[in-house]
Amino acid sequence: MRLITVAGPPSSGKTSVIIKAAEALRGEGVTVGVIKFDCLSTGDQVLYERRGIAAKTGLSGNLCPDHFFVSNIQECLQWGEQSGFDLLISESAGLCNRCAPHIKDVCAVCVIDNLSGVETPRKIGPMLKMADIVVVTKGDIVSQAEREVFAYRVRQVNPGAVIINVNGLTGQGGYELGRLLSAAEETVSLTGRLLRFTMPAALCSYCLGQRKIGSDYQMGNVRKMDFS
Amino acid sequence: METDRDTPPYSAMPSEELLRKHPYAEDFFTSLGLALPPPGESVGAYFGRITADTLEDLGVERHELGERFDAFMALLASLQEKRTGPAIDSITIQGGVDKSGAAEGFALTVAPGEVVSIVGPTGSGKSRFLADIEWMAQGDTPTKRRVLINGAVPDPSRRFSLEYKLVAQLSQNMNFVMDLSVEEFIAMHAESRMVNDVAGITRTIIAKANELAGEQFSSQTPVTALSGGQSRALMIADTSCLSTSPIVLIDEIENAGIDRKRAVRTLVDERKIVLMATHDPILALMGDRRLVFKNGGVRAVIATTPAERANMAAFEEMDARLTAVRNALRNGEQIDHI
């Protein structure tokens, strides 16, 4: 089975893109399963199942979503193997623009949309910078000039990635993305594999449930802004 | 096309020399939010002394910084080379099959400066056709079409390269999402295309766009305040001057506020291959040929006949009369007599 990690800012079109690619792959006889990672609630499992794509949901609740992802991905892989998928896609939102679920030697996709503005590629961390494939969406509603500037800015921060435009509504590009995904490497086990980048340093008093504001209540890994 | 001129590698070059020879290298540092390396220091040495904390914040590892920098410089070089590099003489699309699996049985070769119209109902396969061209399909898409550049199978690595993107699309429902003046907007595009004379080309584009637009706008007008016709005019002028894509797809040019024929001419003059999805008789007949789509395939390739061309005059006359009435309405006149 091939595992693909898909990440991207909220509402960038991840689910639509995955659905279009999965439908194109189904036409080629490839079965796809999806694990949707989210924080509070998601209706995406229903969206997938309505289109005949097997899906499972993992809600991180009050845990850091990316830590939750890493703690569960090996079990997800087992579920995918047992279900007999050819391709298992994990979908997660990059909520702090800092983390990435991308794993070394596992095909990593970042979905990012033209509407988010040309400064956005610079603001997104390893989720974009360390992706193998960058899918750019919502190209149909912005001007050609903005599409070109946006693609250039993406290439600036990730010169090595394959950049592909996919229209989540019409499906244009979905077939081509499917071809790229089905050429990914097989993943047998994740135990011992490495994340492409460290999760952010945490462990301050607020991680442990502190709610009061003020220096007296701040312990552990605390960093102060420089106002000088 | 590599020359020895730029060896030793970029990362070993003193920063002031690097920035003098390749001013756009500065973008690498700004895009990461890093200060420029001080004069005298090489990029490699600079990366070597960036603190672990900063690397952690940047979301990259030290060895990757160097690799990324090299890849970035290679991207710049290829973008610049493309601007002056060998041109595309022809693009050939060889037919595959339609949705029912029936052979299309056509081969279309288009050269720069040609106009081809695309006609057919919604869902007849026009988008797939463009996607095939963009993907440089080699029998590996549902239509099984093949695309040749200058009569030969293109290098597969070109599929995803920014500088060899085959199609620029000027779609009907496009918006500007950036809140910039026209001048800032075009300059930003020109910079991403590594143009040397950014100010000069920006002026040219704005002047060209004003020739096409019915109502004039200035370089200081915010792009979001442009009318539909002015936006179209600006994007046509911009694409004709800045885009490196040999094919420009226009999906219908609405009648409002833009000289349609001149707009197409502007692209033709810049040696673009113009594909136009339109059912406007004046535009459709400007095409040398038109592709008729049905059931996911190209059903026919019709060459515009001399008789059709002759009818253009009649259509233009009708169009001029309608335009006159429209202008009369705009000016608050009575239209009792036409």
Side-chain angles (χ1 to χ4, degrees):
Chain A
M1 191 179 63
R2 300 168 205 284
L3 174 67
I4 316 280
T5 58
V6 175
S11 303
S12 55
K14 296 180 291 299
T15 305
S16 298
V17 163
I18 294 170
I19 286 173
K20 295 298 177 198
E23 287 179 337
L25 285 167
R26 182 159 49 200
E28 311 270 295
V30 178
T31 57
V32 178
V34 178
I35 308 261
K36 167 80 186 191
F37 285 93
D38 223 318
C39 296
L40 298 173
S41 73
T42 175
D44 290 346
Q45 183 166 344
V46 179
L47 285 181
Y48 284 120
E49 286 170 348
R50 207 179 280 161
R51 285 169 176 80
I53 301 164
K56 278 259 184 264
T57 302
L59 291 179
S60 57
N62 69 341
L63 296 179
C64 163
D66 286 295
H67 289 224
F68 179 78
F69 165 87
V70 188
S71 318
N72 285 284
I73 191 64
Q74 173 63 30
E75 287 79 358
C76 293
L77 194 73
Q78 279 157 6
W79 172 71
E81 292 282 4
Q82 282 157 11
S83 308
F85 302 136
D86 299 309
L87 206 73
L88 178 67
I89 299 178
S90 83
E91 180 198 338
S92 57
L95 297 171
C96 64
N97 288 339
R98 164 62 178 68
C99 265
H102 304 323
I103 301 163
K104 278 193 177 148
D105 303 320
V106 171
C107 179
V109 179
C110 177
V111 180
I112 176 169
D113 75 287
N114 274 299
L115 277 184
S116 62
V118 292
E119 297 302 328
T120 301
R122 295 178 176 184
K123 295 178 189 166
I124 300 180
M127 179 167 80
L128 172 64
K129 290 178 184 145
M130 295 195 170
D132 303 309
I133 300 171
V134 179
V135 176
V136 183
T137 60
K138 303 183 195 175
D140 54 331
I141 36 185
V142 303
S143 61
Q144 173 69 20
E146 278 163 292
R147 274 198 296 277
E148 290 185 5
V149 174
F150 195 84
Y152 171 70
R153 295 278 175 99
V154 169
R155 175 82 18 120
Q156 272 188 330
V157 297
N158 190 343
V162 164
I163 301 177
I164 178 169
N165 286 288
V166 178
N167 183 324
L169 297 179
T170 64
Q172 191 174 338
Y175 180 86
E176 289 75 9
L177 177 63
R179 304 270 316 185
L180 291 174
L181 300 185
S182 57
E185 273 181 62
E186 300 258 346
T187 304
V188 179
S189 168
L190 289 169
T191 305
R193 291 281 186 104
L194 291 176
L195 285 167
R196 294 196 186 192
F197 197 69
T198 54
M199 297 278 171
L203 236 60
C204 69
S205 43
Y206 297 104
C207 301
L208 299 167
Q210 177 60 273
R211 293 170 67 194
K212 281 188 185 155
I213 298 168
S215 293
D216 288 353
Y217 309 103
Q218 293 162 359
M219 280 175 296
N221 203 344
V222 175
R223 189 196 294 191
K224 291 293 190 183
M225 287 168 66
D226 182 2
F227 286 102
S228 60
Chain B
M1 295 291 261
E2 272 298 311
T3 59
D4 293 335
R5 196 164 34 106
D6 281 337
T7 49
Y10 302 119
S11 50
M13 224 183 259
S15 73
E16 72 275 15
E17 185 188 342
L18 175 83
L19 291 171
R20 184 164 39 77
K21 283 188 179 164
H22 310 280
Y24 282 105
E26 188 179 337
D27 275 358
F28 180 81
F29 300 94
T30 28
S31 74
L32 283 173
L34 283 174
L36 287 175
E41 188 170 35
S42 73
V43 172
Y46 177 65
F47 289 159
R49 63 178 178 83
I50 287 177
T51 65
D53 274 359
T54 308
L55 288 171
E56 185 96 336
D57 287 348
L58 289 175
V60 280
E61 288 174 47
R62 196 180 305 280
H63 69 91
E64 280 177 344
L65 262 183
E67 289 163 18
R68 273 160 193 278
F69 181 72
D70 291 339
F72 180 81
M73 294 304 292
L75 167 73
L76 295 196
S78 70
L79 277 173
Q80 271 166 338
E81 188 184 305
K82 177 66 210 273
R83 289 206 72 80
T84 53
I88 285 179
D89 299 319
S90 75
I91 294 175
T92 304
I93 301 117
Q94 296 175 334
V97 293
D98 70 8
K99 276 182 196 159
S100 317
E104 291 180 300
F106 80 98
L108 176 77
T109 299
V110 282
E114 272 191 76
V115 180
V116 177
S117 309
I118 295 177
V119 297
T122 310
S124 57
K126 292 178 280 185
S127 304
R128 183 67 252 167
F129 180 75
L130 289 167
D132 284 344
I133 299 177
E134 284 231 274
W135 179 250
M136 304 183 201
Q138 297 303 324
D140 57 351
T141 66
T143 62
K144 311 281 181 230
R145 291 189 187 116
R146 288 174 188 278
V147 174
L148 307 178
I149 311 278
N150 297 343
V153 175
D155 182 346
S157 69
R158 283 188 171 196
R159 272 186 174 168
F160 304 106
S161 71
L162 223 50
E163 43 299 356
Y164 289 104
K165 222 166 153 35
L166 280 184
V167 185
Q169 287 194 38
L170 302 178
S171 64
Q172 205 171 14
N173 52 351
M174 68 106 188
N175 294 288
F176 295 112
V177 289
M178 278 185 245
D179 192 9
L180 295 174
S181 72
V182 168
E183 184 177 21
E184 290 166 330
F185 182 83
I186 300 297
M188 176 184 250
H189 189 205
E191 278 162 14
S192 83
R193 284 291 177 190
M194 318 276 144
V195 171
N196 290 326
D197 180 14
V198 171
I201 202 154
T202 303
R203 274 196 304 277
T204 309
I205 289 170
I206 297 173
K208 262 192 189 186
N210 270 312
E211 285 171 27
L212 301 177
E215 289 171 298
Q216 303 291 293
F217 57 90
S218 86
S219 61
Q220 298 311 311
T221 309
V223 285
T224 47
L226 296 176
S227 73
Q230 288 170 330
S231 306
R232 255 318 162 90
L234 184 63
M235 273 307 93
I236 286 169
D238 170 271
T239 302
S240 73
C241 294
L242 282 178
S243 181
T244 51
S245 305
I247 298 178
V248 179
L249 169 83
I250 309 180
D251 130 36
E252 202 73 85
I253 305 182
E254 52 290 88
N255 210 344
I258 178 164
D259 184 338
R260 289 167 296 169
K261 274 184 81 173
R262 201 157 170 186
V264 176
R265 285 276 153 252
T266 301
L267 294 166
V268 167
D269 289 347
E270 292 296 331
R271 310 296 296 154
K272 298 288 184 189
I273 296 168
V274 181
L275 298 184
M276 220 170 3
T278 182
H279 297 139
D280 174 333
I282 294 176
L283 288 174
L285 294 180
M286 273 186 85
D288 310 299
R289 283 170 286 180
R290 56 186 188 272
L291 296 179
V292 184
F293 281 82
K294 205 173 179 188
N295 191 33
V298 174
R299 186 51 59 85
V301 183
I302 301 175
T304 306
T305 63
E308 284 182 318
R309 275 276 155 80
N311 288 337
M312 272 274 263
F315 295 130
E316 279 173 357
E317 197 189 319
M318 290 182 211
D319 187 56
R321 283 173 69 185
L322 261 182
T323 307
V325 174
R326 209 173 272 124
N327 287 339
L329 275 172
R330 183 178 292 144
N331 296 331
E333 293 164 25
Q334 294 282 122
I335 45 170
D336 299 333
H337 307 287
I338 55 166

